Amino acid sequence: MTQTVLGIDPGSVKAGYALVDGTGSVLCAGIEPIGTLLEKVREVTTGQPVACLAIGKGTRSRDVARALGGLGLPAVFVDEYETSRRARELYFTEHPPRGWRRLIPLGMQLPPRPIDDYAAILIARTYLAGAGDGRSK
């Protein structure tokens, strides 16, 4: 059986979350205000065997880990190096530009919405790939 991980991309006002199974498939993902993140995480993990929270080691990561401590899941901090750039690439892979926008290099474009959920997907996948050895609790 593969392990399922909840990736969290913490921020000051909102956080991306993504429930990712051991194969890297996304079971659910979204963006939630920090104030309601605990309730949302409880909702998406109910009935799911989640191995741990893979939290991006960045803005407010320790605060978010403390806030989610009531879930009883171990928290592991994962390096977020280049996560924003990779999240943008993942977004455009799933939502290629259309019309005249397809003529503009992707590196010069910004997604039309926040992509914290895509960053959370990448954080979970990084953890699952074992790239975070040296991760700290």
Side-chain angles (χ1 to χ4, degrees), residues 22 24 29 55 82 92 109:
I55 301 173
E82 294 209 349
F92 282 125
Q109 294 191 50

Side-chain angles (χ1 to χ4, degrees), residues 47-122:
Q48 294 284 344
V50 178
C52 71
L53 301 172
I55 301 173
K57 194 189 308 185
T59 308
R60 296 202 52 205
S61 59
R62 300 252 180 229
D63 295 338
V64 169
R66 273 192 295 279
L68 298 177
L71 296 170
L73 295 170
V76 178
F77 296 100
V78 178
D79 186 15
E80 288 190 58
Y81 181 70
E82 294 209 349
T83 300
S84 297
R85 180 190 59 76
R86 292 175 40 229
R88 191 171 56 230
E89 287 175 1
L90 181 59
Y91 175 86
F92 282 125
T93 297
E94 292 187 4
H95 307 282
R98 298 169 154 237
W100 62 269
R101 291 189 185 275
R102 70 187 188 336
L103 303 173
I104 299 172
L106 292 180
M108 297 178 68
Q109 294 191 50
L110 294 175
R113 68 165 189 82
I115 55 170
D116 305 82
D117 49 347
Y118 283 88
I121 291 167
L122 293 170

